[in-house]
Amino acid sequence: MAVRGVEIPKPGNKGFRILGIPTVVDRLVQQAIHQVLEPIFDPTFSDSSYGFRPGRSAHHALKRAQEYVRDGYEIVVDIDVEKFFDRVNHDILMSRLAKRIDDKRLLKIIRRLLEAGMMKQGVCMRREEGMPQGGPLSPLMSNLLLDELDKELERRGHKFCRYADDANIYVRSQRSGERVLKSMKEFLAKRLKLKVNEEKSDCAPVDERQFLGYRLLRDGKLVISKSSVNRLKDKIRKRTRRNRSVKLESVIADLTPVLRGWINYFQLTQWPTQARELDSWIRRKLRCYRLKQRKRKGSIVSFLIKLGVSPRDAWDVVKSEKGWWPISKWKPVQEAMNNAWLEKQGLYSLYKHPALVKVY
C-alpha cells in the first residue's frame, strides 16, 4: 500500500526531509523481513560502518575517528550523499539483494515495498526510485547498498568511518584528499547512481569540518560543533517564549528530557566549558522568563524581596528602562534566582553530567 509522506524540517532551516511512513501491515512485514535478514547481512558489513547496526552507535564512530586523527590523519574527506533515501536506484539494490537471496517470493515482496506509491495531500504519487525513510527495512537496505562503497574504500586501504550516508575518509595530505574526493564522486555516480552533495562535501583539515554533531580538533579531542549548540538554543527559545502562560516549573519540566538527551549524546566532548557556558545561558533565559511573567512592577518587587533582595535593589530593577534580557543579568536578579534556587525548581545541569565531571 502507499506510504504516507510527511515533511519534517531539516536542522538550520535548510528545507524539508520527506519521511515515508508505511501502513501498519507493511511495517509489520518489513520488520519481519528485517529480523530474518539482519543476522545474515550484518556480519558481512565493514567494520568501519556504524549506522543502524546492532551494538554500534555514533559514539563508536567518533572514537574510531579520534584514533585516526591521533595517528596523523589530520585531513578529512567529508562525503554526504545527496537525498540518499529518495534516490536509491531500485534495480541496483535488487541486484545486490539477488546475489544474497535465492527466494524469489521474498525478492518480489521487497520490490513491491520499494515501489509503493507515496500519499501526499490525498494524492498518490508513483515512485520509481528511493526508499521510504520511515520504514523498518530501509536502514538495512541502505547499509547493504553502501557496503559496496565501504568495500571499495577498504580495497584501497583508506581509513574511514561511515554512519548511514555520511562518510568521513581520513588522509595525511590535502592533495591526496582531493584525489580521493574526486574518485569517490565518480565511483558513487557510476556504480550506485548516487550523487554527492557538493555543498556538504569537502576535503579540509578535521577541525574545519564536523561529524555527527561534533568537531574533531587536530590533537584528536572532540568538541561540540557550533551548529549543534545553536540547535539546542533554538529548542530552548521555543520553550521559553515570554508570551507563554505556563508556570516556570512546567517549563523546566519540559526542558529536562531535552537537556538530558542532548548531554547524553554529547558526553564525549573534551571541552566541558561549552556545557558550563550553556548552563549559564539557560539559567539567564529562565530568569528572563520569570521576570516577564510577573509583568507589573509591584509584583516583581515583591517577588524579588521574597527571594532575599533588598527593597532598594528591587525597585532599581523595575525602574530600569532596559529590556528583560539585559535586566536578567543584573546582580540582584541573579542573587534572587540563583543556581541553587533554580535547581530546587528542577533545572537539570549539563556540566554536572558524570562524564563531564571526570573531565573537570
Side-chain angles (χ1 to χ4, degrees):
M1 297 182 68
V3 300
R4 180 188 175 193
V6 178
E7 290 184 347
I8 59 172
K10 290 183 178 180
N13 297 320
K14 295 181 179 179
F16 291 88
R17 178 180 289 111
I18 300 177
L19 290 184
I21 304 174
T23 62
V24 174
V25 173
D26 285 349
R27 283 204 303 273
L28 179 64
V29 172
Q30 288 193 38
Q31 185 61 38
I33 296 173
H34 182 276
Q35 289 178 197
V36 173
L37 294 184
E38 185 180 64
I40 300 170
F41 289 172
D42 191 77
T44 68
F45 291 155
S46 169
D47 189 51
S48 297
S49 168
Y50 295 92
F52 312 126
R53 296 185 63 187
R56 288 167 171 256
S57 68
H59 285 180
H60 292 106
L62 289 160
K63 289 177 181 177
R64 177 64 66 85
Q66 274 186 298
E67 294 174 9
Y68 293 149
V69 174
R70 286 169 178 164
D71 288 342
Y73 296 87
E74 297 181 358
I75 304 296
V76 62
V77 179
D78 189 356
I79 296 176
D80 180 86
V81 181
E82 186 176 287
K83 297 182 179 179
F84 171 71
F85 282 94
D86 297 332
R87 293 182 177 174
V88 168
N89 185 286
H90 291 171
D91 292 334
I92 292 176
L93 176 58
M94 292 307 301
S95 69
R96 303 303 184 268
L97 278 168
K99 291 179 181 178
R100 303 195 186 194
I101 301 174
D102 294 329
D103 193 330
K104 302 296 182 182
R105 296 169 301 173
L106 180 56
L107 290 172
K108 185 178 179 180
I109 291 172
I110 294 175
R111 183 95 191 198
R112 290 180 64 188
L113 290 169
L114 289 172
E115 294 178 345
M118 179 172 289
M119 186 72 71
K120 288 183 67 177
Q121 298 178 351
V123 179
C124 184
M125 296 179 290
R126 186 179 176 182
R127 290 193 310 149
E128 297 180 351
E129 62 178 4
M131 298 185 288
Q133 196 166 345
L137 194 57
S138 296
L140 181 63
M141 295 296 101
S142 69
N143 276 332
L144 175 64
L145 187 64
L146 291 174
D147 186 57
E148 192 162 341
L149 170 65
D150 299 341
K151 294 297 191 289
E152 178 66 17
L153 291 170
E154 287 178 345
R155 187 184 68 80
R156 300 184 186 187
H158 288 305
K159 311 290 186 182
F160 71 98
C161 296
R162 182 179 64 80
Y163 193 93
D165 59 333
D166 291 329
N168 273 13
I169 307 164
Y170 297 89
V171 295
R172 295 185 183 274
S173 69
Q174 182 73 21
R175 185 177 179 181
S176 61
E178 290 172 356
R179 186 172 63 250
V180 169
L181 179 59
K182 181 181 178 181
S183 63
M184 286 300 101
K185 286 180 181 179
E186 293 172 355
F187 176 84
L188 287 168
K190 184 177 180 180
R191 294 290 295 274
L192 301 178
K193 306 298 182 187
L194 295 172
K195 184 180 178 182
V196 170
N197 190 321
E198 297 289 347
E199 291 184 2
K200 294 183 179 180
S201 302
D202 198 6
C203 172
V206 289
D207 57 349
E208 295 180 12
R209 305 294 296 175
Q210 63 178 25
F211 183 45
L212 301 175
Y214 282 84
R215 190 164 62 90
L216 261 167
L217 304 183
R218 297 197 188 194
D219 59 0
K221 288 185 177 179
L222 283 167
V223 299
I224 307 169
S225 70
K226 186 176 181 180
S227 59
S228 298
V229 172
N230 289 338
R231 283 198 291 272
L232 176 65
K233 286 186 174 183
D234 287 341
K235 289 180 181 179
I236 294 170
R237 287 188 184 101
K238 289 180 181 178
R239 288 166 171 79
T240 55
R241 293 192 308 270
R242 298 173 210 167
N243 58 354
R244 289 185 71 188
S245 56
V246 179
K247 290 184 178 180
L248 181 67
E249 294 84 354
S250 298
V251 172
I252 291 175
D254 189 26
L255 282 177
T256 298
V258 175
L259 298 177
R260 283 184 183 274
W262 191 85
I263 198 59
N264 280 338
Y265 179 77
F266 287 106
Q267 63 179 280
L268 296 183
T269 179
Q270 292 164 296
W271 190 11
T273 304
Q274 289 176 298
R276 188 185 291 274
E277 291 173 351
L278 265 172
D279 268 346
S280 177
W281 183 85
I282 292 167
R283 288 192 293 266
R284 188 177 175 187
K285 287 293 291 183
L286 293 173
R287 291 180 186 121
C288 184
Y289 179 83
R290 191 69 185 97
L291 287 175
K292 176 66 175 176
Q293 273 191 322
R294 305 299 295 193
K295 291 184 179 180
R296 299 181 183 278
K297 293 182 179 181
S299 178
I300 294 174
V301 168
S302 61
F303 172 69
L304 294 176
I305 291 175
K306 185 179 178 180
L307 294 178
V309 177
S310 68
R312 181 178 178 178
D313 288 341
W315 279 108
D316 285 343
V317 170
V318 298
K319 287 178 181 179
S320 171
E321 295 182 357
K322 295 183 180 294
W324 298 108
W325 182 247
I327 290 175
S328 65
K329 199 176 181 180
W330 282 22
K331 188 175 180 179
V333 175
Q334 290 183 333
E335 289 177 349
M337 293 180 279
N338 55 31
N339 298 0
W341 183 84
L342 286 169
E343 284 184 10
K344 285 183 181 179
Q345 312 307 310
L347 180 62
Y348 179 79
S349 174
L350 296 175
Y351 77 86
K352 288 187 178 180
H353 188 282
L356 299 190
V357 170
K358 292 179 182 179
V359 179
Y360 281 116

